């Protein structure tokens, strides 16, 4: 009993010696087997001809450990389960075409605009090559586009960008090119800001419903959490300070450190525009809690309603607030309808953030030839003016048509004044007023009606039945098709 | 267990004989269940001991397994523990279905206060300056004072121009290849060909951020051409990224968790410090190579570094090599690559083979062997550990294009990196520009050939010139650099001496070269000279300037 207790009884017995040694052996055999499966076996040091040795020695199967990817890459590699991405993937397999594939899925899930392609087409065909190949003395100089250039963007481009931004924001605010970093699209801009403003495990408050892509952009690599601040249809999904306060306190109670507030204005997916007062309240709140404010204003030029758009930069520049906590994201993908160019910008009043972002742009800078095209595009004031007027006008028209069509079906939309989408209340079509009911409807829209709209669940909306429908890639004749499909869906589900 | 049946009856007999025996009643029941406990249960405290001892035993067993698992596995519960203890593993934020709820909770709780603590030090009262994240500080401070950046900055301020500024600083630090071959490509490609590709529907709309299939096919063809068609590349295994930096960053993210490390033989590219470490939290362990071995890495040293790291509790997830090597320009032989693969297999780690200069092999002796060729014949299990980084802008002499490719055999790595490319995408105009540049095989062939010839001739000139000054270079067969031995010129054989010489070269000689310390070379006195910026008539100017520095060095000595 004093030495090895579990074996005492066994050794005492007659067959004890046998059993007492067999059992530990068995145990260790299984243990070793277990360990072996987890460990690559040592390779044979003898120098056989290589190719044959490999197959001879290791034909026993999976004795070599498979190499693993990092644990943080595993969730990234997995196919996404968000309806937003599921819908986008589905459309790719069977896209609608007015002539060739009339039974295909109509894309209402991707916020892109084809409304002004005619204008862009004209400009590009006239100016593209010249803009890329130009140089100061009129003669083509390859080094002006091929050489390494500062990662944060050419100064000329930043000047042009600043000018363009203040132009589309109504000229009430001017932007300083030195606070600006050009990024390869809005997505890297958000990631870089998240990296700069929050440590791993910190969190941003984010009013819901929010753009489903933020989940990827922010969480994939930076490890920053997003804490939803729920907004309701009764406030037309506008965030309130009391809701922010509540979410912040709850987060702190749970031990999360909140580093900032992230919101989009005009909001994506609702499309409403935050008023000057709301923006001031948010900034005041942020100042009180000493956190950052990230304002995603990527749809600032796609405002079509009567409500005036106010940039956070204007509020920050009023002198009333400490502006170093304000960071703005902008991009040309939506307002200029050139997502393929992947041009975005971080505008920050915090010197450290600007400097860090400049350095981080080594990972996502805009190629110099593209910068050259953008410089001449953005500095062509006459074209920009013409384009922006047309852009706004055409979204407005399309919006009226689309919303009118839905109205005739008895489907209301949230009030909106900006963006390339509307926020549609399809709760009347739900079989059960719950998330499950909403996802069922999403599935039906996708498979039966063949429409890909983004359900509110993907945007973390707490009220079921809301869908984001992007209408700017539609032609006028597509709208009746969509309405007809929705009508049929409703009737089939009623019967 | 059933086989113990005959023994059981025998042992029970002997039990009643030999045991001092107050456990007759418990005998039959206990016996049947677990034999080793039989004796214990019979005893007076039997019930207690009989349950405590197996428990303790299994506790230690589990303890052992757990410790073991932490080292060998990445996505099991052992890893969850380790990620909880490391301050910045991004996994804590992502829900993992395999993890128990309490484990997830634990991760969150322990993960948060740590990063919090850093911020707590700064004033937190309202109205105070808002702080940036702690991790961005290393980016902010990162290397501004390193000779690499100081030198670049000097060149930017005062660049050499044959006519405009003959006293300016000559750039021998930055690897761009502009003077060499791109002119041809633009001159010989009619502008219309390019603008045809750049039609509005093609460039304006959303396109796959990991590259159009058309471009991937062109890239695969180009890579085959660069490797002299010894291996064919599968376009579906390619992921395009904006520049080699982001390719390496994405791979680091996918292959290693925060706090893990990669082995990197030195001297290495100065860029790894930023590409690997900055955002991914992955560490680099340098494995020094010496001039005595001609800076070839030896498996013995790699092995030692691996075990030293393991002893310190650092988990090595892979090894990063560059082939042709940066900065030496040497090529890894087939045997070396096989040895490396064996090493990786034995240690079960990844290999990142940085082949950004594959199309710039200019030497005649060496044969460039791509890692892709080595694993071409291997089993999947080995292929999955090999990842190749390829830079289009380097070989096309078009660094401003910022486009590179990851070529991997590992499906998880590919699908993760495809998604991550939205964070560093190649823009559509760039993609179309590239397609028009490299989809014509004839063009590609000529481009690669011209590039090689020009690199070769300028390299010969430069090496000859340096030799006349008594400066030897290691034999380079690829890349834009020569690795010059200036040990004879430094005043003290130390890093300080090296930096002194570098300062002299920059201020007196007005040439910007990269000192070996930036490449983490452990021997002082080596410099990386990038010759692809030079034209042949620049070489005598450079030589004169170096001569001047040599003379001042000698007069001081």
């Amino acid at each position: 009993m004093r030495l090895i207790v579990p074996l005492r009884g066994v050794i005492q017995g007659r067959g004890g010696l046998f059993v007492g040694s067999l059992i530990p052996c068995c145990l260790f055999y299984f243990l070793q087997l277990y360990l072996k499966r987890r460990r690559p076996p040592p390779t044979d040091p003898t120098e056989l001809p290589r190719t044959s040795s490999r197959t001879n020695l290791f034909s026993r199967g999976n004795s070599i450990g498979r190499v693993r990817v990092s644990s943080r890459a595993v969730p990234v590699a997995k196919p996404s389960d968000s309806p937003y991405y599921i819908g986008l993937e589905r459309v790719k397999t069977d896209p609608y075409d007015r002539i060739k594939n009339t039974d295909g899925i109509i894309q209402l899930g991707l916020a892109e605009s084809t409304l002004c392609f005619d204008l862009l087409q004209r400009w590009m065909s006239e100016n593209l090559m010249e803009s890329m190949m130009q140089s100061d003395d009129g003669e083509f100089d390859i080094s002006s586009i091929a050489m390494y250039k500062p990662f944060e963007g050419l100064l000329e481009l930043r000047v042009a960008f600043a000018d363009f931004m203040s132009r589309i924001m109504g000229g009430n605010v001017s932007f300083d090119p030195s606070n600006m970093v050009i990024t390869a699209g809005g997505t890297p801009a958000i990631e870089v800001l998240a990296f700069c403003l929050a440590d791993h495990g910190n969190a941003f408050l984010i009013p819901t419903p929010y753009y489903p892509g933020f989940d990827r952009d922010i969480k994939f690599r930076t490890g920053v959490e997003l804490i939803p601040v729920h907004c309701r249809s009764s406030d037309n999904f506008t965030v309130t300070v009391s809701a922010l306060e509540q979410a912040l306190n709850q987060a702190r109670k749970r031990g999360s450190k909140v580093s900032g507030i992230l919101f989009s204005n005009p909001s994506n997916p609702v499309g409403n525009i935050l008023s000057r007062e709301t923006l001031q309240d948010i900034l005041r709140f942020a100042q009180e809690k000493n956190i950052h404010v990230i304002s995603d204003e990527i749809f600032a030029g796609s405002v079509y309603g009567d409500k005036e758009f106010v940039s956070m930069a204007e509020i920050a520049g009023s002198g009333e607030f400490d502006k170093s906590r304000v960071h703005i994201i902008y991009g040309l993908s939506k307002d200029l309808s050139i997502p393929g160019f992947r041009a975005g910008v971080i505008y920050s009043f915090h010197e450290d953030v600007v400097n860090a972002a400049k350095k981080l742009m080594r990972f996502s800078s805009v190629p110099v030839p593209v910068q050259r095209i953008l410089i001449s595009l953005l500095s062509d004031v006459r074209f920009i003016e013409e384009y922006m007027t047309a852009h706004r006008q055409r979204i407005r028209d399309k919006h009226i048509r689309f919303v009118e069509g839905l109205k005739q079906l008895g489907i209301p939309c949230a009030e909106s004044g900006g963006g390339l989408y509307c926020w549609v209340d399809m709760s009347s079509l739900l079989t059960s007023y719950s998330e499950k009911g909403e996802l069922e409807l999403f599935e039906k829209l996708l498979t039966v009606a063949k429409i890909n709209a983004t359900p509110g669940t993907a945007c973390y909306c707490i009220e079921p039945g809301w869908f984001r429908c992007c209408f700017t890639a539609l032609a006028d004749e597509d709208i009746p098709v969509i309405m007809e499909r929705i009508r049929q869906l409703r009737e089939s589900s009623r019967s | 267990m059933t086989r113990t049946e005959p023994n059981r009856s025998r042992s029970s007999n002997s039990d009643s004989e030999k045991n001092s025996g107050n456990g007759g009643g418990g005998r039959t029941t206990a016996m049947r269940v677990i034999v080793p406990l039989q004796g214990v249960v019979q005893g007076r405290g039997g019930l207690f001991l009989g349950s405590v001892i197996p428990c303790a035993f299994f506790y230690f067993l589990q303890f052992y397994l757990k410790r073991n698992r932490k080292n060998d596995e990445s996505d099991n519960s052992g890893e969850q523990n380790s990620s909880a203890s490391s301050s910045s593993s991004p996994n804590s934020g992502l829900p993992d279905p395999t993890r128990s709820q309490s484990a997830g909770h634990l991760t969150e709780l322990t993960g948060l206060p740590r990063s919090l603590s850093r911020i707590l030090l700064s004033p937190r009262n309202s109205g105070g300056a808002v702080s940036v994240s702690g991790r961005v500080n290393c980016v902010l401070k990162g290397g501004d004072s390193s000779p690499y950046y100081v030198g670049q900055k000097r060149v930017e301020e005062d660049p050499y121009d044959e006519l405009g500024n003959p006293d300016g600083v000559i750039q021998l630090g930055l690897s761009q290849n502009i003077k060499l071959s791109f002119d041809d490509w633009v001159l010989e490609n009619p502008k219309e060909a390019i603008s045809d590709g750049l039609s509005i529907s093609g460039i304006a709309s959303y396109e796959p951020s990991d590259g159009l299939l058309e471009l991937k096919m062109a890239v695969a063809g180009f890579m085959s051409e660069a490797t002299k068609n010894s291996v064919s590349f599968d376009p579906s295994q390619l992921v395009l990224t904006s520049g080699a930096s982001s390719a390496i960053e994405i791979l680091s993210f996918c292959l290693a968790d925060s706090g893990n490390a990669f082995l990197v033989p030195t001297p290495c590219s100065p860029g790894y410090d930023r590409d690997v470490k900055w955002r991914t939290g992955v560490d680099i362990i340098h494995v020094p190579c010496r001039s005595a071995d001609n800076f070839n890495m030896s498996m013995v040293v790699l092995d030692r570094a691996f075990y030293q790291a393991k002893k310190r509790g650092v988990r090595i997830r892979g090894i990063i090599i560059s082939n042709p090597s940066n900065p030496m320009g040497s090529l890894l032989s087939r045997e070396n690559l096989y040895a490396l693969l064996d090493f990786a297999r034995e240690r079960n780690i990844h290999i990142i083979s940085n082949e950004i200069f594959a199309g710039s092999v200019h030497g005649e002796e060496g044969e460039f062997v791509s890692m892709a060729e080595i694993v071409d014949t291997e089993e999947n299990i080995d292929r999955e550990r090999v990842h190749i980084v390829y830079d289009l802008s380097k070989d096309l002499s078009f660094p401003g294009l910022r486009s590179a490719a990851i070529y991997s055999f590992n499906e998880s790595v590919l699908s993760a990196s495809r998604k991550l490319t939205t964070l560093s995408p190649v823009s559509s105009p760039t993609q179309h520009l590239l397609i028009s540049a490299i989809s014509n095989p004839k063009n590609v062939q000529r481009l690669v050939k011209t590039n090689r010839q020009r690199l070769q001739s300028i390299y010969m000139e430069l090496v000859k010139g340096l030799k006349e000054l008594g400066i030897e270079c290691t034999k380079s067969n690829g890349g834009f650099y020569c690795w010059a031995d200036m040990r004879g010129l430094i005043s003290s054989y130390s890093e300080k001496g090296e930096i002194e010489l570098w300062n002299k070269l920059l201020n007196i000689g007005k040439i910007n070269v990269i000192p070996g310390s930036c490449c983490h070379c452990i021997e002082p006195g080596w410099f990386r000279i990038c010759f692809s910026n030079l034209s042949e008539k620049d070489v005598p100017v450079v030589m004169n300037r170096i001569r001047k520095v040599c003379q001042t060095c000698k007069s001081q000595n």
Side-chain angles (χ1 to χ4, degrees):
Chain A
M1 199 170 176
R2 253 163 242 146
L3 270 180
I4 313 164
V5 184
L7 292 182
R8 192 189 68 160
V10 185
I11 300 167
Q12 281 171 345
R14 226 186 287 159
L17 218 75
F18 176 65
V19 180
S21 50
L22 185 71
I23 289 162
C25 281
C26 276
L27 257 167
F28 274 96
Y29 173 74
F30 285 118
L31 179 71
Q32 181 219 34
L33 198 76
Y34 175 75
L35 293 179
K36 206 174 191 176
R37 271 188 41 211
R38 257 141 233 283
R39 212 184 260 168
T43 44
D44 203 305
T46 50
E47 290 293 317
L48 286 168
R50 196 186 141 89
T51 37
S52 62
S53 73
R54 208 120 318 277
T55 35
N56 286 344
L57 288 172
F58 300 110
S59 55
R60 266 170 295 157
N62 16 356
S63 52
I64 312 173
R66 278 179 73 118
V67 72
R68 288 169 189 283
V69 298
S70 69
S71 55
R72 56 185 173 185
V74 173
V76 179
K78 268 193 283 192
S80 175
D81 53 1
S82 158
Y84 176 66
Y85 292 106
I86 294 173
L88 292 182
E89 286 301 314
R90 279 286 257 303
V91 177
K92 270 186 215 161
T93 59
D94 180 21
Y96 173 78
D97 189 290
R98 229 157 288 136
I99 299 147
K100 284 178 236 155
N101 189 11
T102 47
D103 280 340
I105 302 173
I106 299 181
Q107 175 68 287
L108 298 178
L110 196 60
E112 63 176 339
S113 161
T114 52
L115 298 176
C116 292
F117 265 15
D118 54 333
L119 295 177
L120 277 173
Q121 173 87 59
R122 201 188 68 210
W123 189 90
M124 296 279 172
S125 59
E126 282 168 11
N127 302 306
L128 189 62
M129 288 318 288
E130 286 65 33
S131 63
M132 192 164 51
M133 302 295 185
Q134 77 188 356
S135 66
D136 304 329
D137 47 6
E139 217 166 284
F140 171 61
D141 177 11
I142 181 70
S143 60
S144 69
I145 59 168
M147 299 282 261
Y148 277 120
K149 295 286 176 188
F151 290 127
E152 72 265 25
L154 300 166
L155 182 62
E156 293 152 277
L157 178 60
R158 283 180 284 145
V159 171
F161 235 114
D163 187 53
F164 175 74
M165 280 168 73
S166 74
R167 192 176 294 277
I168 58 161
M169 292 176 188
N172 297 326
V173 51
S174 64
F175 292 87
D176 179 357
S178 60
N179 286 346
M180 201 173 250
V181 178
I182 308 286
T183 67
T187 309
I190 288 167
E191 193 197 28
V192 166
L193 271 184
F195 180 86
C196 293
L197 302 181
D199 276 304
H200 184 272
N202 294 170
F204 287 142
L205 297 180
I206 180 162
T208 64
Y210 65 81
Y211 166 56
F214 281 150
D215 276 337
R216 279 191 177 191
D217 303 352
I218 293 177
K219 290 182 187 168
F220 261 2
R221 289 202 294 196
T222 65
V224 175
E225 312 262 330
L226 294 178
I227 296 177
V229 181
H230 294 297
C231 304
R232 288 165 196 283
S233 54
S234 52
D235 310 327
N236 198 30
F237 298 103
T238 308
V239 68
T240 58
V241 168
S242 60
L244 285 173
E245 182 98 48
Q246 200 188 347
L248 183 80
N249 288 337
Q250 272 174 2
R252 285 198 172 157
K253 242 179 244 166
R254 277 186 291 125
S256 287
K257 182 186 148 56
V258 173
S259 312
I261 309 170
L262 165 67
F263 59 90
S264 48
N265 179 29
S267 104
N268 183 0
V270 180
N272 54 8
I273 293 165
L274 296 180
S275 67
R276 192 178 292 268
E277 291 71 37
T278 314
L279 291 172
Q280 280 168 344
D281 287 347
I282 292 174
L283 190 51
R284 198 169 294 122
F285 171 78
Q287 191 158 329
E288 212 172 275
K289 306 293 178 190
N290 198 25
I291 56 180
H292 293 274
V293 174
I294 304 175
S295 174
D296 171 16
E297 304 186 350
I298 202 156
F299 290 101
S302 306
V303 173
Y304 51 82
D306 307 323
K307 217 167 157 192
E308 178 207 22
F309 170 79
V310 183
S311 168
M312 202 60 179
E314 194 183 333
I315 308 290
S318 64
E320 222 180 298
F321 301 96
D322 162 34
K323 53 185 180 177
S324 70
R325 68 186 73 246
V326 174
H327 317 277
I328 291 163
I329 292 164
Y330 185 68
L332 299 179
S333 307
K334 314 292 182 186
D335 288 350
L336 267 186
S337 331
I338 45 171
F341 276 67
R342 314 255 176 203
V345 65
I346 295 173
Y347 188 80
S348 169
F349 292 98
H350 200 296
E351 203 187 327
D352 284 349
V353 173
V354 173
N355 287 335
K358 276 181 188 173
K359 290 186 173 180
L360 290 173
M361 276 311 117
R362 70 187 274 109
F363 301 116
S364 49
S365 63
V366 179
V368 189
V370 178
Q371 291 195 40
R372 291 277 168 207
I373 302 174
L374 289 174
I375 291 171
S376 30
L377 181 62
L378 294 180
S379 356
D380 189 343
V381 174
R382 230 183 52 205
F383 171 76
I384 292 294
E385 287 290 343
E386 185 194 346
Y387 175 89
M388 289 320 296
T389 324
H391 181 64
R392 288 197 170 127
Q393 184 60 43
R394 290 176 192 183
I395 303 178
R396 187 182 295 135
D397 292 348
K398 197 73 75 186
H399 180 252
I400 291 170
R401 268 172 202 273
F402 194 80
V403 170
E404 191 57 37
L406 287 170
K407 210 175 188 177
Q408 279 168 12
L409 295 172
I411 297 172
C413 295
E415 198 185 311
S416 65
L420 308 176
Y421 36 75
C422 55
W423 188 236
V424 184
D425 179 8
M426 300 210 191
S427 51
S428 59
L429 298 177
L430 295 182
T431 46
S432 71
Y433 189 73
S434 65
E435 196 183 308
K436 203 173 141 245
E438 183 182 290
L439 288 176
E440 270 171 27
L441 179 60
F442 165 71
E443 199 54 43
K444 264 195 271 176
L445 280 170
L446 201 56
T447 49
V448 183
K450 299 230 169 184
I451 293 171
N452 174 37
T454 310
T457 337
C459 307
Y460 299 86
C461 183
I462 44 164
E463 297 179 18
W466 292 88
F467 283 80
R468 187 184 83 158
C469 298
C470 304
F471 51 78
T472 46
L474 300 174
D476 283 347
E477 58 263 36
D478 294 339
I479 293 178
V481 180
I482 295 169
M483 297 310 153
E484 182 56 28
R485 287 183 180 192
I486 296 179
R487 201 180 54 77
Q488 277 173 6
L489 178 75
R490 190 172 56 184
E491 268 157 29
S492 70
S493 61
R494 266 185 198 159
S495 57
Chain B
M1 281 289 145
T2 48
R3 287 177 67 188
T4 63
E5 198 74 33
N7 297 330
R8 207 168 62 186
S9 59
R10 250 184 286 159
S11 68
S12 71
N13 286 346
S14 65
D15 232 358
S16 53
E17 285 165 24
K18 288 195 179 176
N19 209 343
S20 53
N22 47 2
R27 187 184 69 192
T28 43
T29 47
M31 240 164 35
R32 252 166 238 146
V33 187
I34 311 162
V35 184
L37 292 183
Q38 189 205 43
V40 184
V41 182
Q42 282 172 344
R44 226 182 289 162
L47 217 77
F48 175 66
L49 282 178
S51 49
V52 167
I53 289 159
C55 282
F57 188 70
F58 274 96
Y59 173 75
F60 285 116
L61 178 71
Q62 179 221 34
F63 191 64
Y64 175 76
L65 292 180
K66 209 169 194 176
R67 262 189 53 206
N68 196 60
R69 213 188 293 170
K70 200 199 279 185
N71 289 339
D72 279 349
E73 271 201 11
S74 57
D75 49 3
N76 260 336
S77 58
E79 183 64 25
Q80 299 306 340
N81 279 8
S82 75
S83 71
S85 56
S86 73
S87 64
S88 56
S89 161
N91 198 32
S92 67
L94 303 163
D96 185 340
T98 61
R99 205 193 327 173
S100 74
Q101 269 199 324
S102 61
H105 201 62
L106 189 77
T107 317
E108 266 174 44
L109 287 182
T110 46
L112 286 174
R114 274 189 182 225
S115 35
L116 194 74
S117 63
R118 212 183 285 134
I119 310 295
L120 275 176
L121 296 174
S122 61
R124 277 195 51 89
N125 37 359
S126 58
V130 68
S131 58
V132 293
S133 70
R135 56 184 171 188
V136 86
N137 281 329
C138 71
V139 176
L140 277 170
K141 287 176 203 145
D144 270 352
S145 56
S146 110
Y148 185 81
Y149 288 106
V150 176
Q152 298 317 353
K153 212 165 165 199
R154 278 291 296 279
V155 179
E156 269 168 41
E157 285 161 8
D158 181 21
Y160 171 78
D161 187 286
E162 202 190 337
L163 305 170
N165 187 12
D167 282 339
V169 182
I170 297 181
Q171 174 67 291
L172 297 173
L174 201 59
S175 50
Q176 42 192 13
N177 186 7
I178 211 66
K179 296 241 165 65
L180 291 173
S181 61
F182 192 75
D183 293 345
D184 283 348
W185 176 67
V186 172
L187 291 178
E188 290 175 20
N189 268 283
K191 284 185 178 180
E192 293 72 41
I194 307 173
S195 55
D196 279 352
L198 296 180
S199 74
I200 180 69
S201 55
I203 55 176
S205 50
Y206 275 106
E207 282 183 346
S209 54
D210 62 313
L212 295 164
L213 184 63
E214 218 180 333
L215 177 57
K216 286 184 183 173
M217 281 161 67
V219 171
F222 185 72
M223 284 164 77
S224 300
E225 183 60 41
T227 52
K228 300 196 172 144
N229 292 320
S230 52
V231 55
S232 67
F233 291 86
D234 180 357
S236 65
Q237 287 168 229
L238 274 171
V239 176
L240 272 88
T241 67
S242 68
S245 293
S246 56
I248 290 173
E249 190 190 37
I250 286 174
L251 279 178
S252 312
F253 178 87
C254 291
L255 304 181
D257 282 301
S258 172
N260 296 163
F262 286 125
L263 295 178
V264 177
T266 61
C268 64
S269 157
Y272 290 154
D273 287 333
R274 280 155 283 145
D275 301 343
V276 175
K277 288 179 174 174
W278 264 2
R279 290 203 291 192
T280 64
V282 176
D283 222 344
I284 289 179
I285 291 178
H286 296 293
V287 183
C289 305
R290 291 166 189 283
S291 56
D293 312 327
N294 214 13
F295 294 107
N296 282 325
M297 63 184 154
S298 83
M299 293 304 137
V300 183
V301 184
L302 277 181
D303 236 23
R304 200 185 302 140
F306 183 86
Y307 279 110
Q308 272 172 359
K310 202 165 182 181
K311 242 185 240 164
R312 280 188 288 126
V314 177
R315 188 155 172 214
I316 304 286
R317 299 298 295 251
I319 173 167
I320 306 179
I321 51 158
S322 49
N323 180 27
S325 91
N326 175 2
M328 286 84 70
S330 54
L331 304 175
L332 289 176
S333 68
R334 209 172 279 270
E335 292 72 41
N336 264 333
L337 291 173
Y338 275 123
L340 199 70
L341 191 62
D342 281 338
F343 172 76
R345 181 210 325 270
E346 263 172 63
R347 311 291 168 232
N348 197 15
I349 59 175
H350 293 270
I351 299 177
I352 298 178
S353 177
N354 184 352
E355 302 184 357
I356 60 175
F357 291 112
S360 306
V361 175
H362 53 75
E364 275 170 2
E365 302 140 38
E367 175 209 16
F368 170 74
V369 185
S370 167
M371 201 71 203
E373 191 186 335
I374 299 291
V375 293
D376 211 28
T377 52
E378 294 292 317
E379 288 172 45
N380 265 338
I381 212 143
D382 272 337
R383 291 169 163 219
E384 275 179 5
R385 66 180 86 245
V386 171
H387 318 276
I388 297 171
V389 174
Y390 193 77
D391 193 339
L392 289 165
S393 34
K394 280 258 171 21
D395 286 342
L396 276 180
S397 341
F398 206 148
L401 266 188
R402 310 277 319 155
S403 44
I406 295 172
Y407 187 74
S408 170
F409 296 88
N410 192 318
E411 210 33 66
S412 327
V413 170
L414 284 173
S415 67
S417 5
R418 272 185 207 121
K419 289 188 193 163
L420 291 175
T421 50
T422 54
L423 299 164
S424 43
V426 186
S427 63
S428 308
T430 315
Q431 296 197 27
H432 286 279
L433 209 62
L434 280 170
I435 291 174
S436 68
I438 59 176
S439 52
N440 182 350
K442 246 194 209 151
N443 272 353
V444 170
Q445 261 172 18
R446 207 190 44 235
L447 191 69
V448 171
K449 209 172 135 201
T450 335
N451 187 23
R452 286 194 170 135
Q453 278 168 358
R454 294 198 187 172
L455 282 172
Q456 192 176 10
S457 69
I458 195 88
Y459 169 74
M460 299 297 243
E461 282 288 305
L462 189 74
V463 170
K464 206 177 82 195
L466 286 171
K467 203 163 192 173
E468 279 165 16
L469 296 175
I471 297 169
E472 293 287 338
C473 297
T474 58
K475 178 85 191 110
S476 159
N477 282 312
F480 301 163
Y481 314 112
C482 64
W483 185 235
D485 176 8
M486 303 203 189
R487 282 179 290 186
L489 298 176
I490 55 178
S491 52
S492 70
Y493 189 69
S494 65
E495 197 181 314
K496 200 170 142 245
E498 182 180 287
I499 297 296
E500 264 175 33
L501 178 59
W502 172 78
N503 261 318
K504 274 186 210 157
L505 287 165
L506 189 62
N507 296 319
I508 303 170
K510 297 237 171 182
I511 56 173
N512 176 38
V513 293
I514 307 290
S517 57
C518 284
C519 304
H520 300 279
C521 182
I522 50 160
E523 294 179 21
W526 292 85
F527 287 83
R528 186 183 88 171
I529 301 177
C530 173
F531 54 79
S532 58
N533 279 328
L534 297 176
S535 59
E536 266 155 53
K537 60 180 184 299
D538 293 333
V539 175
V541 184
V542 173
M543 289 311 139
N544 279 334
R545 292 185 175 196
I546 296 179
R547 185 173 298 123
K548 210 160 82 187
V549 176
C550 289
Q551 276 155 6
T552 58
C553 287
K554 275 173 193 145
S555 64
Q556 273 173 4
N557 294 348

